[in-house]
């Protein structure tokens, strides 16, 4: 189950924008060249955004060769993936009558999914509210913020950025975890998410308040930031006063293909770019 969850989180980071992902975990103790004291058995776990399904199969000892046990367990994994995708699988795993799998299924509702993000168990939850787009995007175009409230300035900023960066899948992002304040409550996250549903815009709920961590979470993305945030991004004060640490972190961001689009802001009566 831990392997399936780790794979699910990795898939979330690596996947193209707008795609559904799954994590799969498998471990087993199958026939080998020497007789085994314990059972011949395997475990399969599939993890999607709202479901965890685990199967445990104990094989009849001495019934099959190693290659045959490999085939049975491999077919079982493929069928588990098909089931998680809700597609019918014609593949047969050839599990015999006494080898009936022990199954457990856990469904997660929206509150549980968000709690898993807050707790750091799952790295993000994506809400797709925008109309599906025809083209394929190479990366995400992300406007992070608290959006309390979401206003026309935010919507226009993402619109202008999208026209400048047309290979980016546009979405807003809110971190449930705040660097200086308590985490957002589930009710508060849902209240803010509702604004995006009404506006028909995609939003991601993550648990990373810092840009260098966001860069790890969304590799190759373009982030839209204000001029004031851009100034903080290159201020050693926000890296524990360590200039070299700041350079190291920014170079890491650069190595993941991260770029920044900076929007002008009025700061103390002066419009800064």
């Amino acid at each position: 189950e831990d392997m399936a969850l780790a794979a699910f989180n990795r898939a979330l980071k690596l996947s193209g924008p707008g795609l559904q992902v799954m994590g799969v975990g498998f471990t087993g103790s199958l026939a080998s060249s020497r007789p085994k004291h314990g059972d011949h058995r395997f475990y399969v776990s599939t993890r999607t955004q709202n479901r965890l399904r685990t199967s445990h199969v104990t094989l009849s000892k001495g019934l099959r060769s190693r290659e045959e046990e490999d085939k049975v367990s491999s077919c079982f994994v493929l069928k588990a993936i098909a089931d998680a995708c809700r597609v019918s699988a014609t593949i047969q795993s050839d599990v015999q009558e006494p080898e009936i799998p022990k199954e457990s299924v856990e469904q997660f509702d929206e509150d549980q999914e968000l709690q898993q993000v807050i707790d750091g168990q799952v790295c993000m939850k994506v809400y797709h509210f925008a109309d599906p787009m025809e083209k394929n995007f190479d990366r995400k175009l992300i406007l992070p913020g608290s959006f309390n409230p979401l206003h026309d300035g935010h919507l226009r900023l993402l619109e202008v950025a999208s026209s400048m960066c047309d290979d980016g899948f546009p979405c807003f992002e809110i971190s449930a975890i705040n660097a200086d304040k308590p985490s957002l409550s589930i009710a508060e996250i849902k209240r803010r998410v509702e604004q995006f549903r009404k506006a028909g815009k995609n939003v991601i709920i993550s648990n990373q308040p810092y840009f260098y961590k966001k860069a790890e979470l969304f590799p190759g993305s373009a982030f839209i930031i204000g001029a004031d945030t851009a100034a903080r991004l290159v201020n050693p004060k926000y890296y524990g006063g360590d200039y070299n640490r700041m350079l190291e972190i920014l170079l890491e961001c650069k190595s993941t293909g991260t770029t920044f689009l900076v929007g002008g802001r009025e700061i103390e009566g002066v419009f800064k770019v």
Side-chain angles (χ1 to χ4, degrees):
E1 289 178 359
D2 286 345
M3 280 159 50
L5 180 61
F8 173 69
N9 276 314
R10 188 154 185 266
L12 281 172
K13 294 176 190 177
L14 295 175
S15 70
L19 297 178
Q20 298 293 316
V21 302
M22 178 199 316
V24 183
F26 175 91
T27 185
S29 176
L30 304 180
S32 61
S33 53
R34 295 176 187 167
K36 277 204 167 91
H37 293 301
D39 291 333
H40 295 191
R41 64 197 189 280
F42 62 85
Y43 297 80
V44 180
S45 192
T46 55
R47 172 67 201 244
T48 57
Q49 188 75 56
N50 63 357
R51 195 164 91 139
L52 172 68
R53 181 176 178 176
T54 305
S55 305
H56 167 211
V57 178
T58 301
L59 298 168
S60 300
K61 233 171 167 178
L63 185 64
R64 304 175 184 87
S65 66
R66 168 61 189 231
E67 289 74 17
E68 288 167 338
E69 288 195 356
D70 262 335
K71 187 177 178 184
V72 167
S73 54
S74 297
C75 289
F76 196 94
V77 173
L78 289 173
K79 189 161 185 328
I81 292 170
D83 290 345
C85 293
R86 293 184 166 81
V87 296
S88 57
T90 53
I91 198 161
Q92 295 300 319
S93 62
D94 193 31
V95 172
Q96 302 296 320
E97 189 65 46
E99 303 170 325
I100 301 300
K102 291 177 183 167
E103 307 255 333
S104 68
V105 179
E106 209 177 335
Q107 288 285 148
F108 309 114
D109 61 23
E110 186 184 4
D111 285 17
Q112 289 170 311
E113 289 174 41
L114 289 170
Q115 190 61 54
Q116 288 166 1
V117 174
I118 293 166
D119 294 343
Q121 191 180 0
V122 173
C123 62
M124 70 181 93
K125 176 169 172 58
V126 184
Y127 289 90
H128 295 287
F129 294 135
D131 294 331
M133 298 182 187
E134 301 263 319
K135 63 180 284 187
N136 290 322
F137 293 95
D138 298 326
R139 57 181 178 159
K140 294 183 181 81
L141 176 63
I142 300 172
L143 175 52
S146 57
F147 306 112
N148 188 28
L150 173 69
H151 55 67
D152 286 343
H154 296 132
L155 298 170
R156 184 81 183 109
L157 185 56
L158 187 59
E159 196 181 306
V160 171
S162 297
S163 68
M164 295 169 66
C165 182
D166 62 1
D167 66 338
F169 177 81
C171 48
F172 294 88
E173 183 256 352
I174 299 173
S175 175
I177 308 298
N178 195 301
D180 313 309
K181 303 173 194 166
S183 303
L184 297 178
S185 67
I186 289 169
E188 180 59 24
I189 294 170
K190 288 168 81 172
R191 185 187 69 77
R192 295 189 197 185
V193 165
E194 180 61 17
Q195 303 175 107
F196 295 93
R197 189 187 66 74
K198 287 177 180 170
K201 301 296 178 186
N202 299 320
V203 62
I204 300 170
I205 306 301
S206 82
N207 51 23
Q208 297 298 349
Y210 299 109
F211 268 107
Y212 71 96
K213 288 291 187 185
K214 291 185 199 292
E216 284 176 20
L217 192 56
F218 309 109
S221 296
F223 290 97
I224 307 155
I225 58 175
D228 52 341
T229 304
R232 287 198 297 273
L233 201 62
V234 289
N235 186 340
K237 173 185 161 185
Y238 295 96
Y239 301 85
D242 188 334
Y243 179 82
N244 288 326
R245 173 75 180 135
M246 179 185 80
L247 285 187
E248 190 184 316
I249 285 170
L250 291 175
L251 283 168
E252 278 174 27
C253 290
K254 186 179 178 182
S255 71
T256 67
T258 300
T259 57
F260 295 96
L261 287 173
V262 183
R265 289 199 78 156
E266 194 170 285
I267 300 167
E268 294 171 1
V270 180
F271 188 73
K272 297 204 172 178
V273 296

